[in-house]
Amino acid sequence: MKDADKVSDVDDNPPWYATTPDGDIILGAVPDRLLCHPELQRRGIVLRESMKPGVAFRSFATDDGPPDQGFVVKVLDLNTQELEIYERLLGHLDSPQNHTIPCEIVRNGHPMLIMPLLSPIEYMIVGRCSSLSGLLDIFYQIIEGVAYLHKHNVAHMDLCPANVAGAFESQSDFHASLQLWRIYIYDFDTSLQFVHGPGRQHAITLPESQTPPPNGLTYFDPYSWDVYCLGHLLDQLMNYCVALRRTSPPWLLRRYARWLIGNERGCSSVCRCRPTAKRALRVMSTICLFFSVLRWYSTLRETISGAFRRAFTVFSRLSAATFPPHFFANMS
């Protein structure tokens, strides 16, 4: 019976499209099977539109509420490892290094995910990159999340701005599982699990990805591929900062992103063209500490300089009020 159910579920894999009475596909609409799904109805979730046609759909908290509050429902493809990966990662959400989006796996019928609606990473950049510390925090969280995946022998395989998001205040207030300003990684439909971890896993054939591989390569160490994509992701976010004119990222961060991208030599076994995510996280920790000390020193210097200026001004005013103008001249 279980085998029959499994075959039925696989045959029922997405895409799930809404159609017209004539059978024409409506890409932006929600199929009736989701609108009438008992688990969604029980939770009061009414899906309004498609985010990824046939796969992911969104709802709003209320018809007249904030557009960034609501839920996302994703229909899982059982031909991928996404369900297994979420089952592993969701059991460790108490770990501060785990940046998996908190969500619920619905098993009534074909497996689905119900997750909070988050804000695109570009919105987080708008909200936080007016200061260097805000940008560094975003970078650190993304790298920390990738390092956590690799620690558990999971390679994301499609790291890009579309698969990283964050929580604003309105979202963290609406969803108790979210933390304000926290960065989350999601969409594990092309992700893979391995027996071996970084530094031991040989190259594999790359799945489809939103980041084009260097030199047209189709064979890559999966963990090294994640770091390569991570470098491009950070570089894109810095370009977005510059376009917004919020802040100009220091050359050190640009150099760091290029270090992650590396100089690809087409390794057929374990790749040595770029650092591991674990090493990248240690270096980013050092960079954050460096700029924190630099900011502290700058603040201290300005405080001391301001104190001396104020003291000199007070002394000058007291001297002028206490002694006649010719007092000091007569002393010479």
Side-chain angles (χ1 to χ4, degrees):
M1 184 68 177
K2 289 184 178 179
D3 290 339
D5 290 343
K6 185 174 181 181
V7 171
S8 176
D9 284 341
V10 170
D11 291 342
D12 211 20
N13 278 329
W16 291 6
Y17 292 122
T19 58
T20 66
D22 296 329
D24 296 327
I25 294 175
I26 310 173
L27 292 179
V30 181
D32 290 340
R33 64 192 304 181
L34 284 177
L35 292 174
C36 302
H37 197 286
E39 288 297 322
L40 300 184
Q41 290 182 335
R42 184 173 67 84
R43 292 168 171 80
I45 298 175
V46 180
L47 299 176
R48 300 294 186 185
E49 61 187 19
S50 170
M51 296 182 68
K52 184 177 181 181
V55 178
F57 308 86
R58 67 176 288 177
S59 74
F60 301 102
T62 58
D63 290 336
D64 57 351
D68 59 351
Q69 290 183 351
F71 295 89
V72 174
V73 173
K74 181 176 184 180
V75 184
L76 295 175
D77 186 342
L78 299 185
N79 288 322
T80 71
Q81 298 184 26
E82 186 166 23
L83 175 58
E84 298 173 22
I85 290 173
Y86 270 112
E87 286 175 335
R88 287 182 59 194
L89 298 176
L90 292 177
H92 303 281
L93 288 179
D94 55 338
S95 171
Q97 292 82 35
N98 187 357
H99 287 263
T100 306
I101 180 173
C103 56
E104 181 183 356
I105 301 174
V106 175
R107 303 178 187 276
N108 184 353
H110 188 88
M112 300 185 303
L113 292 178
I114 299 179
M115 63 187 82
L117 178 65
L118 294 172
S119 295
I121 189 63
E122 292 86 354
Y123 288 19
M124 299 296 289
I125 292 293
V126 172
R128 301 208 62 195
C129 83
S130 57
S131 68
L132 179 59
S133 59
L135 182 63
L136 287 172
D137 181 57
I138 291 175
F139 282 13
Y140 183 88
Q141 289 193 60
I142 296 174
I143 301 164
E144 182 180 55
V146 176
Y148 183 85
L149 294 178
H150 290 188
K151 179 181 177 182
H152 290 79
N153 295 0
V154 175
H156 188 280
M157 305 304 294
D158 194 19
L159 287 168
C160 62
N163 292 333
V164 182
F168 281 112
E169 185 174 2
S170 61
Q171 294 159 328
S172 61
D173 288 345
F174 185 71
H175 296 281
S177 60
L178 297 179
Q179 298 179 36
L180 177 62
W181 300 124
R182 186 165 175 83
I183 304 299
Y184 296 96
I185 298 173
Y186 59 100
D187 270 3
F188 295 96
D189 46 337
T190 60
S191 302
L192 298 169
Q193 304 174 91
F194 299 94
V195 174
H196 301 298
R200 298 179 59 199
Q201 174 62 45
H202 286 206
I204 64 167
T205 301
L206 286 177
E208 290 187 8
S209 172
Q210 298 185 59
T211 303
N215 307 323
L217 294 173
T218 58
Y219 213 60
F220 231 95
D221 174 336
Y223 301 110
S224 185
W225 171 249
D226 271 2
V227 176
Y228 174 83
C229 294
L230 180 59
H232 279 285
L233 169 58
L234 300 187
D235 198 52
Q236 290 177 62
L237 296 182
M238 284 188 280
N239 290 340
Y240 193 65
C241 277
V242 173
L244 290 172
R245 297 181 180 179
R246 295 277 176 166
T247 187
S248 180
W251 67 268
L252 183 59
L253 290 185
R254 291 288 189 182
R255 181 68 184 87
Y256 178 83
R258 289 196 295 270
W259 178 56
L260 298 186
I261 293 171
N263 182 21
E264 182 55 45
R265 298 186 293 272
C267 306
S268 59
S269 58
V270 177
C271 185
R272 308 294 182 188
C273 301
R274 56 194 56 82
T276 63
K278 181 179 179 180
R279 186 182 176 196
L281 182 62
R282 286 201 301 263
V283 173
M284 178 52 68
S285 298
T286 304
I287 292 174
C288 291
L289 178 62
F290 169 76
F291 282 111
S292 178
V293 171
L294 197 64
R295 186 170 59 253
W296 173 83
Y297 173 75
S298 177
T299 302
L300 179 64
R301 186 179 62 180
E302 291 177 2
T303 301
I304 295 174
S305 176
F308 272 111
R309 285 196 300 269
R310 288 191 295 272
F312 180 78
T313 300
V314 171
F315 176 78
S316 299
R317 290 174 179 173
L318 287 175
S319 299
T322 305
F323 303 102
H326 57 275
F327 179 81
F328 293 102
N330 293 337
M331 294 178 61
S332 58

